[in-house]
Amino acid sequence: GEDVEQSLFLSVREGDSSVINCTYTDSSSTYLYWYKQEPGAGLQLLTYIFSNMDMKQDQRLTVLLNKKDKHLSLRIADTQTGDSAIYFCAEHNQGGKLIFGQGTELSVKP
Amino acid sequence: DVKVTQSSRYLVKRTGEKVFLECVQDMDHENMFWYRQDPGLGLRLIYFSYDVKMKEKGDIPEGYSVSREKKERFSLILESASTNQTSMYLCASSLGAAKSSYNEQFFGPGTRLTVL
């Protein structure tokens, strides 16, 4: 069945780059998403990538997609304490639903 | 500004009670979703709806039912709450685009339900 996997925790120092990784199983996914959840809040869309792209850059965020390995990553440059949150990757499957990973809790230390 | 609201941020209920969680969106979205979020498990889909009066089971529908009488409102019902339903419940909505196209889901703030 469809599955999306992420590591649960990542800790970085302020100013460093953060890289959050995700693997998925459905090769027919059309879009892949990164959502951010701040403490006590719902999820907000951070960025997305269409499956025919390899890379997408948006200010401090870089998304890399390796379709062959079904691997997605989110890089946050110059990580700030305000970036501390849980980050979810999700794939958009043929049934029109989103399949979410477990979420990676990013902790940014000053 | 798009908005999905949920009736309560925190809720405490007793085992066996009937529980209603309400979700309202003001974006005229066709699709609405209920998820539960548990540490280490991510978001799991309980039920979703592509249209008024229409519902489909997600991955974990057991112990839950839903109601969608109006386009803007999607209710999650726990017929007889149990302690293993203690969780964070998130509602989301999206446009009813073709199933293979980009379709961002907008989330409410969540309801943290505790069943004692």
Side-chain angles (χ1 to χ4, degrees), chain A residues 30-31 33 35 37 40-43 45 48 88 92 94-98 100-102, chain B residues 9 35 37 40-43 45 48 50 90 99-105 107-109:
Chain A
T30 50
Y31 288 92
Y33 304 84
Y35 279 84
Q37 184 182 36
L43 277 67
L45 182 69
Y48 67 93
F88 291 91
H92 193 179
Q94 287 296 311
K97 297 182 290 184
L98 291 186
F100 287 87
Q102 303 94 322
Chain B
R9 293 299 304 271
Y35 297 89
Q37 181 182 6
L41 298 178
L43 272 70
L45 183 64
F48 61 103
Y50 285 136
L90 292 164
K99 290 180 181 179
S100 62
S101 30
Y102 170 75
N103 209 351
E104 177 184 353
Q105 288 189 15
F107 283 82

Side-chain angles (χ1 to χ4, degrees), chain B residues 51-64:
Chain B
D51 204 349
V52 176
K53 295 194 186 296
M54 177 269 171
K55 60 185 177 185
E56 287 195 33
K57 291 180 180 178
D59 300 316
I60 51 163
E62 296 78 20
Y64 304 94

Side-chain angles (χ1 to χ4, degrees), chain B residues 2-6 23-27 91-93 106-109:
Chain B
V2 295
K3 211 155 199 172
V4 180
T5 55
Q6 295 184 229
C23 175
V24 177
Q25 50 94 4
D26 65 359
M27 297 164 282
C91 174
S93 72
F106 295 85
F107 283 82

